[in-house]
């Protein structure tokens, strides 16, 4: 009986140890199980990001195509604008050598000042653009006298071959009874040009003597013939 009891006890101990080992094995499996799940979750997140990235890439591709389409459209607009610019660019500025420049007295009786109208006629065989103020100087017995701009708004003018535009030069009439300052010539430099032409002065022969506080001669913008114009 004693041997049987010892055997039973030994079996009980062995069974207990086996049960403990199984429990330890389950705990180990349980503790290692979250790690693969977490990894899978990370992989899923990564896969989701990758999918989003892929989706974004595809979306980006579409957006890029859209932008390219927009770019093409914009490019089309740009081409249109470019065509416009090309057309505008084709209309170069009027060169001095292409212009036939003449001057005539255009004073109206009763006006306080005299007016000379300077005409610019396009003889260049092409359309040309002209804008702004011409440089105007009077050659006088007292030296060169530069005309002062009136400050009026200038307009862009495109001259077809054979067409003309004009501007006015206003000057004070000598009513002093004295000899005044004798005018011997008119110098004209078209807007944005450096070459000057010399014309015969068609207006009154003299200017009144001034106190030198400023030029008494005024020039208007191209496109405005001035008084009597």
């Amino acid at each position: 009986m004693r041997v049987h009891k010892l055997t039973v006890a030994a079996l009980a101990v062995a069974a207990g140890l086996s049960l403990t080992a199984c429990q330890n094995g389950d705990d180990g499996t349980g503790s290692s199980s979250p790690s693969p799940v977490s990894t899978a979750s990370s992989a899923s997140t990564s896969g989701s990001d990758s999918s989003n990235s892929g989706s974004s890439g595809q979306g980006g591709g579409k957006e890029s195509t859209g932008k390219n389409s927009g770019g093409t459209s914009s490019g089309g607009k740009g081409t249109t604008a470019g065509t416009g610019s090309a057309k505008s660019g084709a209309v170069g500025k009027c060169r001095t050598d292409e212009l036939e420049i003449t001057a005539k007295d255009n004073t109206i009786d009763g006006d306080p000042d005299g007016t000379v109208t300077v005409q610019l006629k396009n003889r260049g065989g092409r359309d040309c653009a002209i804008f702004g103020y011409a440089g105007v100087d009077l050659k006088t017995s007292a030296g060169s006298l530069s005309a002062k701009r009136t400050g009026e708004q200038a307009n862009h003018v495109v001259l077809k071959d054979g067409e003309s535009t004009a501007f006015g030069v206003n000057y004070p009439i000598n009513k002093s009874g004295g000899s005044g300052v004798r005018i011997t010539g008119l110098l004209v430099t078209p807007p944005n040009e450096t070459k000057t032409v010399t014309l015969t002065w068609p207006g009154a022969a003299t200017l009144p003597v001034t106190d030198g506080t400023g030029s008494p001669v005024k020039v208007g913008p191209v496109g405005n013939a001035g008084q009597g114009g």
Side-chain angles (χ1 to χ4, degrees):
M1 288 292 294
R2 183 175 181 185
V3 172
H4 180 71
K5 289 181 180 179
L6 289 175
T7 301
V8 171
L11 290 174
V13 170
L17 290 175
S18 175
L19 180 60
T20 301
C22 289
Q23 289 177 346
N24 287 339
D26 290 340
D27 287 344
T29 303
S31 62
S32 62
S33 178
S35 179
V37 170
S38 175
T39 303
S41 175
S42 297
S44 174
T45 302
S46 175
S48 174
D49 288 344
S50 176
S51 174
N52 288 339
S53 176
S55 173
S56 175
Q58 291 176 353
K62 290 181 181 179
E63 287 176 6
S64 178
T65 302
K67 287 181 181 178
N68 287 338
S69 296
T72 302
S73 174
S74 174
K77 292 180 181 178
T79 302
T80 302
T83 302
S85 298
K87 288 182 179 178
S88 298
V91 182
K93 69 177 181 179
C94 297
R95 301 282 186 180
T96 302
D97 291 337
E98 297 175 320
L99 297 171
E100 179 184 317
I101 304 175
T102 57
K104 67 176 182 178
D105 184 20
N106 211 14
T107 303
I108 294 177
D109 290 341
D111 284 348
D113 295 327
T115 301
V116 165
T117 297
V118 177
Q119 185 181 75
L120 307 136
K121 189 170 187 177
N122 181 10
R123 292 294 195 189
R126 66 178 180 90
D127 294 356
C128 68
I130 190 165
F131 169 76
Y133 285 78
V136 172
D137 296 279
L138 299 188
K139 293 169 65 176
T140 75
S141 56
S144 181
L145 180 64
S146 296
K148 183 178 180 181
R149 295 179 179 183
T150 60
E152 297 171 84
Q153 180 66 41
N155 296 315
H156 288 274
V157 178
V158 174
L159 295 178
K160 293 185 179 300
D161 185 37
E163 289 185 343
S164 301
T165 188
F167 63 88
V169 179
N170 296 333
Y171 63 94
I173 297 174
N174 183 14
K175 299 177 181 178
S176 66
S179 60
V181 178
R182 186 166 55 91
I183 304 173
T184 60
L186 172 64
L187 304 177
V188 176
T189 307
N192 303 307
E193 278 289 273
T194 57
K195 188 172 182 178
T196 301
V197 296
T198 302
L199 305 174
T200 300
W201 174 252
T206 63
L207 295 174
V209 177
T210 63
D211 57 7
T213 56
S215 175
V217 182
K218 304 291 189 295
V219 58
V222 169
N224 185 343
Q227 293 173 308

